[in-house]
């Protein structure tokens, strides 16, 4: 994959280089020190502006699972799955019944990837089925703590979800995971196995905070990939010897190559190597404007719900009016324009918006805000890989 004209600057979080320490258990390698923040923390993250290529554009080269570590799968043909995903999107939350329905539609399915690789779903882990939601510019739109599968925020720093040599795979598979699964690690690799442990990342809607993934070939794993022990007590129910999940965190390097898709929904999903692929959410140019629009509309909705014409008039008169950003993605520009239009409608006739047009305006305002909230589902799969024979 080579970047092209669709490459734009995005903000991404990384582990600070000052937090890297020598790994006493793996001489010559590094691990994250005790001050390192978890991949979903808001503090202790070092933000870098990275050039990332939007792979949603026509004519842009696409990633391949076995070469780059990730690929986009077309789920649109799985009708029952699409119905289940659409229901979760409408509700804004996932239930146990939803999760069971989604799992049942995926187990046994074969995902035909654009690269020609076939990935048959053999197993879906019970844990790790999670719904994540985040607003523009890292705006928090969920509760203070996760509640089961729900109320999880987007990743704030780049990471990979599992160390093939670590907990819990070492316990669950008696140390055989490195020989059974394809992986690239700082201290080993397996490019021959037919089994892969992958994440299936399904966006219910995504035009802000897109998932960004690294071309694994651009990552110096011995210098920039560090072991990290992630406590899981707050969101997973595990045996005592498995509560620390061994994952990877990453240092930034300008030679790393990053990709995202500027607009996705549940018709497509990412399939990426759980054991190796660096990934995290980013902040796009223009998300600060989207956040300002979101907050202004939220306050305006409160005034309209209370029938407060004077309060709505004062709010819109005093607030700095958001302007379309000079540079952003087409999808985000369109969403910001829709929010600005709703704001302008309220500004033009606050009495009517608080009166006869209140219901219609509130519906438009809520939908415009909801559109810039990224919602996604993720789960952990074991797949069997079949590579097409050379022509």
């Amino acid at each position: 994959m080579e970047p092209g004209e669709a490459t734009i600057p995005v903000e991404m979080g990384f582990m600070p280089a000052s937090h890297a320490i020598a790994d006493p258990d793996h001489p010559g390698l590094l691990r994250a020190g005790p001050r390192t923040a978890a991949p979903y923390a808001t503090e202790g993250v070092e933000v870098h502006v990275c050039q990332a290529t939007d792979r949603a554009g026509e004519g842009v080269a696409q990633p391949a699972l076995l070469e780059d570590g990730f690929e986009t799968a077309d789920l649109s043909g799985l009708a029952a799955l699409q119905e289940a995903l659409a229901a979760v999107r409408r509700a804004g939350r996932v239930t146990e019944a939803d999760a069971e329905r989604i799992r049942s539609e995926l187990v046994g399915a074969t995902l035909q990837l654009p690269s020609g690789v076939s990935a048959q779903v053999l197993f879906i882990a019970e844990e790790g089925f999670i719904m994540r939601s985040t607003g523009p510019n890292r705006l928090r739109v969920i509760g203070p703590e996760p509640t089961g599968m729900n109320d999880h925020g987007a990743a704030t720093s780049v990471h990979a979800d599992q160390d093939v040599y670590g907990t819990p795979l070492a316990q669950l598979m008696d140390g055989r995971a490195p020989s059974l699964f394809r992986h690239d690690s700082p201290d080993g690799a397996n490019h021959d196995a037919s089994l892969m442990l992958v994440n299936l990342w399904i966006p219910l809607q995504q035009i802000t905070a897109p998932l960004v993934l690294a071309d694994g070939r651009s990552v110096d794993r011995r210098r920039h990939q560090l072991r990290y022990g992630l406590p899981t007590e707050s969101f997973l129910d595990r045996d005592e010897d498995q509560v620390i999940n061994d994952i990877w965190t990453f240092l930034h390097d300008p030679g790393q190559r990053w990709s995202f898709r500027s607009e996705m929904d549940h018709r497509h999903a990412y399939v990426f190597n759980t054991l190796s692929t660096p990934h995290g959410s980013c902040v796009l140019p223009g998300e600060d404007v989207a956040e300002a629009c979101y907050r202004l509309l939220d306050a305006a909705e409160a005034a309209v719900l209370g029938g407060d014409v004077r309060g709505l008039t004062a709010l819109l008169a005093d607030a700095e009016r958001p302007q379309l950003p000079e540079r952003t993605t087409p999808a985000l520009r369109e969403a910001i324009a829709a929010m600005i239009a709703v704001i302008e409608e309220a500004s033009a006739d606050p009495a009517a918006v608080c009166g006869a047009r209140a219901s219609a305006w509130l519906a438009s305002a809520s939908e415009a805000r909801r559109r810039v909230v990224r919602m996604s589902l993720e789960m952990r799969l074991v797949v069997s890989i079949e590579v097409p024979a050379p022509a």
Side-chain angles (χ1 to χ4, degrees):
M1 280 187 321
E2 294 300 328
E5 294 182 359
T7 297
I8 65 171
V10 303
E11 292 183 3
M12 298 177 62
F14 293 84
M15 193 192 85
S18 59
H19 292 188
I21 63 174
D23 190 338
D25 298 320
H26 302 86
L29 301 179
L30 300 172
R31 71 171 296 112
R35 293 186 298 140
T36 304
Y40 301 94
T42 55
E43 303 294 331
V45 175
E46 187 174 84
V47 175
H48 290 267
V49 175
C50 303
Q51 298 299 317
T53 300
D54 183 1
R55 303 291 171 182
E58 290 187 12
V60 181
Q62 296 302 309
L65 177 62
L66 301 187
E67 287 76 29
D68 304 289
F70 64 101
E71 194 161 352
T72 307
D74 186 347
L75 304 180
S76 61
L78 302 173
L81 175 65
Q82 289 299 303
E83 291 176 6
L85 295 172
V88 175
R89 179 189 178 277
R90 289 191 298 270
R93 300 184 72 78
V94 60
T95 66
E96 291 289 350
D98 294 326
E100 181 57 34
R101 184 182 178 192
I102 291 167
R103 286 191 184 100
S104 68
E105 295 300 325
L106 285 168
V107 171
T110 297
L111 305 177
Q112 298 290 345
L113 303 180
S115 64
V117 167
S118 298
Q120 183 182 12
V121 181
L122 303 179
F123 174 77
I124 301 177
E126 284 296 319
E127 69 175 35
F129 193 116
I130 289 174
M131 182 167 177
R132 300 193 185 279
S133 302
T134 190
N137 206 31
R138 306 234 186 258
L139 176 67
R140 191 170 183 85
V141 295
I142 55 175
E145 297 292 338
T147 53
M149 295 180 289
N150 295 285
D151 296 320
H152 295 264
T156 54
S157 64
V158 173
H159 64 285
D161 292 295
Q162 197 66 60
D163 177 359
V164 73
Y165 298 97
T167 297
L169 289 181
Q171 294 93 328
L172 295 175
M173 305 190 70
D174 295 324
R176 294 177 297 161
S179 62
L180 291 176
F181 292 126
R182 285 179 177 254
H183 68 93
D184 283 282
S185 304
D187 44 357
N190 181 345
H191 298 160
D192 300 318
S194 61
L195 294 181
M196 289 188 75
L197 183 62
V198 301
N199 276 27
L200 186 68
W201 189 88
I202 307 176
L204 302 174
Q205 59 180 38
Q206 179 231 271
I207 58 176
T208 62
L211 189 68
V212 187
L213 304 102
D215 177 344
R217 296 167 297 185
S218 70
V219 177
D220 186 330
R221 296 189 183 273
R222 294 186 66 84
R223 293 177 58 232
H224 302 138
Q225 182 169 335
L226 295 86
R227 284 185 163 88
Y228 175 71
L230 176 68
T232 64
E233 296 96 330
S234 64
F235 59 95
L236 292 178
D237 183 14
R238 284 185 171 179
D239 293 339
E240 186 175 346
D241 67 336
Q242 298 178 26
V243 293
I244 300 299
N245 192 47
D246 289 321
I247 68 169
W248 302 104
T249 188
F250 291 84
L251 302 176
H252 171 261
D253 186 81
Q256 295 160 352
R257 296 192 296 272
W258 299 96
S259 295
F260 73 104
R261 293 179 72 88
S262 55
E263 185 173 17
M264 290 182 75
D265 60 27
H266 49 73
R267 291 172 294 180
H268 291 85
Y270 281 121
V271 180
F272 62 91
N273 192 327
T274 300
L275 306 173
S276 309
T277 302
H279 62 282
S281 68
C282 77
V283 175
L284 296 169
E287 285 197 30
D288 56 337
V289 180
E291 180 192 11
C293 290
Y294 185 104
R295 291 183 181 276
L296 184 54
L297 276 177
D298 190 35
E301 287 174 53
V304 173
L305 282 168
D308 186 359
V309 179
R310 181 176 297 178
L312 179 63
T313 302
L315 171 70
L316 297 177
D318 294 342
E320 183 176 345
R321 198 59 53 86
Q323 302 293 320
L324 280 174
E326 292 184 7
R327 186 177 191 187
T328 189
T329 64
L332 183 51
R333 177 180 294 275
E334 182 181 334
I336 292 171
M339 287 193 289
I340 290 175
V342 178
I343 292 168
E344 293 297 337
E345 179 184 352
S347 181
D349 196 345
V353 164
C354 286
R357 297 214 309 269
S359 294
W361 185 89
L362 284 168
S364 296
S366 177
E367 178 56 30
R369 283 195 302 115
R370 178 184 171 92
R371 188 176 171 190
V372 295
V373 172
R374 189 260 265 178
M375 296 188 291
S376 58
L377 293 176
E378 61 188 58
M379 61 202 81
R380 199 74 52 82
L381 283 59
V382 175
V383 298
S384 176
I385 296 295
E386 184 175 336
V387 181

